[in-house]
Amino acid sequence: MHPHLKYLIELQAVDFRLIEIRERISKFPKQLAEVEARVTAAKQLITAAKDALLTSQKERKTYEMDVEQWKERAKKYRNQSGEVKTNEAYKALLHEIQNAEDEAAKAEDRLLERMVSGEEYDRQLKAAEAAVKQVEAEANKERHAIQAEYNTAQKELAAAEAARAASAAAVPEDLVDHYERIAKRHGGIGLAEIRGEGCGQCGVHIRPHMIQLLQRDGNEEFYHCETCTRILYYPDHSAAPGPAAPSPAPSTTDSSAAPAREH
Ligand SMILES: [Zn+2]
């Protein structure tokens, strides 16, 4: 193995960790927005219930006035009955009284309906207010939990960034640049271990001869995957397992690694 490769492998392990932490941090705004959306939705139910209640109260006032007016009119006609001279006029007046009483009864029915539905809207409003209290309490817990996770992730990020600086310091600068150029093009992953007979990152087949070269003691060459261009290494299975790398994408193409003499 190239003498600098083991430091690059350490650097890659820290970078995997950084990718994971940054991924987690990037999800916090969405998590918070979901909590706020639930609170907003619950509050909208209060607004809707208040609007319905207000409309119902306005209608109730209108119907109360209707009842009053029709009753007034019926009373007025009844008071006129003593002054009527002809039978015809008396019949007409009775008809008017009946009509006004019918209208008053209808208005009373409408009023009663409104009073019943008003109670229902009142119940809905109280239920919506209770629901908001519950949603707010849950949202507060979630906000605190998200904030705590965020603070932890920020600490982990700072620690991983410090660890990265330490790992990078152990690798020659031009090699770090080379690794970072490859990593930048490939989702932050510049190295690929050999897995089975393939590239551990893109999955392409690597020729057995190349794998032998990578395994050879005293090898001082860097070899790159011909397909994804990542720096290849043969994992040291005697060492403790490092952080898990993302699974390679399945590939049906066949290729082999090419030696590179940049370092
Ligand atoms: Zn590859």
Side-chain angles (χ1 to χ4, degrees), residues 199 202 225 228:
C199 167
C202 74
C225 171
C228 73

Side-chain angles (χ1 to χ4, degrees), residues 10 28 41 72 80 96 151-152 161 164 200 214 234 238 245 247:
E10 279 175 23
F28 288 125
E72 271 303 307
Q80 288 171 3
E96 287 299 341
N151 293 346
T152 304
E161 277 171 348
R164 189 190 199 277
L214 283 163
Y234 193 80
S238 61
S247 297

